[in-house]
DNA sequence: AGCGAACGTTTGACATACATAACATTATTT
DNA sequence: AAATAATGTTATGTATGTCAAACGTTCGCT
């Protein structure tokens, strides 16, 4: 019933996913992530980032130390890595198999990375493995 | 720059797409579509439908006759049919090629139908045609 | 110590998209 | 014609997500 409404029923919104990804990337790239860093990374104002990150803290996806440095919780990191993996699978399928132009493949995989189900992601990956094999090195 | 922000930059929102699809379906199935019919089809209140449809009228995707019967404009129909086509391509790829469970394929294709680019849709379709051929009837 | 920059939060505004509920209008039914 | 039902619109409220601008705190430099 009401399959179309499931669009709203995501564990995570597109915006939230990218806040988590920003922290993941910042931590790996620079070792730390603050509100300002996330805002710069996402090219939004610190006001927006502050509010958005607050709700992610409330959901226990992000933790903050006494110096206001941000980190992903275990759950947050799991979510971020899952999204990242899906995006990579999608991008790879679009760019390498369908031969969609890199720029467009980037956009399309970014738009859908947080929306596809675990089942679809898994089956797409398996499909690509078989496909590469068949194509034969 | 800011590829992740392109999520918002769609011609049409998920919600709007389904309002158009509802009208398309109602017209084909019953010959007419009013605010109430759309609300029932989408399982939202008539209040919400009224407001949502108003903005689609403002964008000239929907026209209304003097009896408040709704129809898609040429542009609205083009948008609706494009979305429908993408959904069918996606569903077919997920269900028939990846063997994603029908229920899940339905959900995933519905979530992404309005997000994938024309290029990706076209190339996915071509890929499937080649794939079916290769599989050879 | 004090000044200014950087940082973070809060406020108020806007846009989308949903809900309820009250209200007006139009149709049906007796 | 009057009562009831169906239809449609218009508040009002919620939630997300953006902005700009004001505010306070904290940090660094002189």
């Amino acid at each position: 019933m009401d399959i179309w409404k499931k669009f709203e029923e995501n564990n995570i919104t597109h915006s939230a996913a990218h806040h988590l990804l920003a922290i993941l990337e910042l931590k790996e790239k620079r070792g730390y992530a603050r509100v300002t860093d996330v805002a710069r990374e996402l090219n939004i104002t610190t006001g927006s980032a502050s509010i958005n990150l607050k709700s992610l803290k409330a959901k226990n996806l992000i933790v903050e130390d006494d110096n206001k440095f941000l980190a992903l919780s275990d759950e947050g990191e799991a979510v971020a890595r899952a999204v990242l993996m899906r995006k990579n699978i999608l991008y790879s399928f679009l760019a390498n198999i369908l031969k969609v132009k890199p720029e467009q493949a980037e956009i399309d995989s970014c738009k859908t990375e947080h929306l596809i189900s675990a089942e679809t992601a898994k089956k797409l990956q398996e499909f690509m493995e078989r496909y590469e094999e068949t194509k034969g090195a």
Side-chain angles (χ1 to χ4, degrees), chain A:
Chain A
M1 21 66 165
D2 289 332
I3 283 168
W4 77 278
K5 282 193 183 174
K6 295 197 180 261
F7 189 71
E8 315 298 333
E9 268 177 37
N10 279 301
N11 304 324
I12 197 149
T13 64
H14 181 72
S15 164
H18 280 277
H19 282 67
L20 297 182
L21 289 178
I23 293 175
L24 189 67
E25 204 179 308
L26 284 164
K27 291 274 282 182
E28 281 176 358
K29 208 168 57 181
R30 313 173 46 165
Y32 61 88
R34 296 161 305 168
V35 170
T36 303
D37 303 313
V38 172
R40 243 195 307 264
E41 182 83 12
L42 296 179
N43 212 22
I44 59 179
T45 60
T46 58
S48 297
S50 177
I51 290 165
N52 298 155
L53 292 167
K54 188 161 59 177
S55 76
L56 293 175
K57 270 180 259 171
K59 286 173 196 145
N60 287 308
L61 296 171
I62 288 179
V63 288
E64 192 182 70
D65 73 11
D66 32 326
N67 279 318
K68 303 225 166 236
F69 280 62
L70 304 166
L72 298 174
S73 67
D74 288 348
E75 198 196 332
E77 179 156 348
V79 171
R81 293 209 182 275
V83 170
L84 201 55
M85 218 178 66
R86 278 169 215 195
K87 190 222 177 99
N88 290 338
I89 295 169
L90 280 164
Y91 178 82
S92 163
F93 174 69
L94 295 178
N96 302 334
I97 299 184
L98 294 193
K99 312 291 184 199
V100 172
K101 286 193 202 75
E103 160 81 350
Q104 191 62 55
E106 185 66 37
I107 294 172
D108 287 9
S109 60
C110 179
K111 281 184 179 179
T112 50
E113 64 190 5
H114 67 300
L115 292 173
I116 62 168
S117 62
E119 186 189 349
T120 292
K122 184 162 169 284
K123 289 190 171 156
L124 180 57
Q125 184 162 39
E126 288 164 2
F127 174 81
M128 284 194 294
E129 282 159 13
R130 285 198 307 278
Y131 188 85
E132 298 290 313
E133 261 175 47
T134 311
K135 270 247 151 161

